[in-house]
Amino acid sequence: MTRRTEWPDSAGFGSAAGDAENRSRRNRGAAPEEDGTARDGGGSLPSRAGSGPPRTPEEQARAICLRLLTGSPRTRRQLADALRERGIPDEAAEEVLARFEDVGLIDDAAFADAWVESRHHGRGLARRALARELRTKGVDSAVIDEAVGRLDAEQEESTARELVDRKLRTTRGLDRDKRLRRLAGMLARKGYPEGLALRVVRRALEEEGEDPDLLDHHLPDA
């Protein structure tokens, strides 16, 4: 990797979201409370039903997004889907989402960078699997390509070898064919290309003392 990006801190997003919500409440003349309600001038806690007219779609959309972002970082598509599921009109949703992007509460590029960094180092996922996960979250293809492109082939192969080394001891005692299938299958499930997976497995087993000629008989050339 050419640079290391920290996984988005959900607490940091929550802090920013909370600041934005508190500013919005101050503009409406209410002080923020820890439980999300506001005290009136007399110090009582009015119910939501009696606190004023119904909120506009934009206010509802803003509250939904702030609540979701406080829990964990989200992509724009994830937030848009959440707003649609809750019946927020498209025009109101678009206005709020655009504003959140302007102030940095939504940043799909930063999300993708951090996702790649976290899931590769934490779960050992290869570029193909990482790209597939980001697509399911609605990240744009160009943004995905840029994020996974920072994970170079050398780093990907090094991680594959680490995964195989950890798994090797659990396969000792099995016959050669079963070890090969189990190790190569583990890498395949994490998105590693067949050629790379077979090369890494072959090298690891050779270093354990397996006969290279027998391995070549069972493994195709990478």
Side-chain angles (χ1 to χ4, degrees):
M1 298 286 285
T2 56
R3 66 185 181 89
R4 187 176 182 89
T5 305
E6 294 298 328
W7 175 242
D9 181 0
S10 61
F13 270 88
S15 177
D19 290 345
E21 187 172 19
N22 287 344
R23 286 195 297 272
S24 175
R25 284 175 174 152
R26 285 197 294 272
N27 290 338
R28 298 196 301 270
E33 292 292 329
E34 291 184 359
D35 62 359
T37 59
R39 295 186 182 277
D40 61 17
S44 61
L45 286 169
S47 67
R48 286 192 180 276
S51 61
R55 293 185 297 179
T56 66
E58 290 78 10
E59 290 175 326
Q60 294 177 51
R62 185 164 54 248
I64 291 167
C65 288
L66 288 171
R67 183 169 62 252
L68 291 174
L69 288 170
T70 298
S72 65
R74 310 284 177 128
T75 65
R76 179 177 176 128
R77 172 73 65 79
Q78 287 177 307
L79 291 172
D81 289 346
L83 295 178
R84 190 175 300 110
E85 290 172 0
R86 290 162 174 77
I88 302 298
D90 289 344
E91 184 176 351
E94 178 63 27
E95 178 181 335
V96 170
L97 293 173
R99 176 57 180 160
F100 273 45
E101 281 188 319
D102 288 343
V103 301
L105 288 176
I106 301 175
D107 187 338
D108 281 3
F111 180 99
D113 285 346
W115 187 268
V116 168
E117 181 76 9
S118 174
R119 298 284 284 177
H120 178 71
H121 289 284
R123 298 288 301 279
L125 298 186
R127 287 175 289 189
R128 185 166 58 187
L130 293 165
R132 183 169 58 246
E133 289 187 339
L134 288 170
R135 280 194 297 271
T136 67
K137 296 181 180 301
V139 179
D140 182 77
S141 294
V143 174
I144 293 174
D145 290 343
E146 185 174 354
V148 300
R150 296 193 176 97
L151 179 61
D152 60 40
E154 183 178 350
Q155 176 63 57
E156 191 173 51
E157 183 164 344
S158 174
T159 301
R161 179 55 196 265
E162 291 173 5
L163 291 169
V164 169
D165 286 345
R166 290 201 295 267
K167 189 76 172 177
L168 268 177
R169 64 181 181 81
T170 68
T171 66
R172 288 172 187 150
L174 300 177
D175 65 67
R176 183 184 300 108
D177 288 348
K178 187 171 291 187
R179 294 189 82 190
L180 296 178
R181 289 195 301 270
R182 186 165 296 184
L183 293 168
M186 178 268 295
L187 291 179
R189 288 190 295 275
K190 290 181 178 292
Y192 290 90
E194 181 183 21
L196 184 152
L198 295 175
R199 182 171 66 251
V200 169
V201 171
R202 178 189 287 114
R203 185 180 304 127
L205 292 177
E206 284 179 7
E207 291 174 4
E208 270 210 340
E210 292 283 0
D211 188 330
D213 292 335
L214 292 176
L215 291 175
D216 288 339
H217 175 72
H218 291 281
L219 286 173
D221 291 335

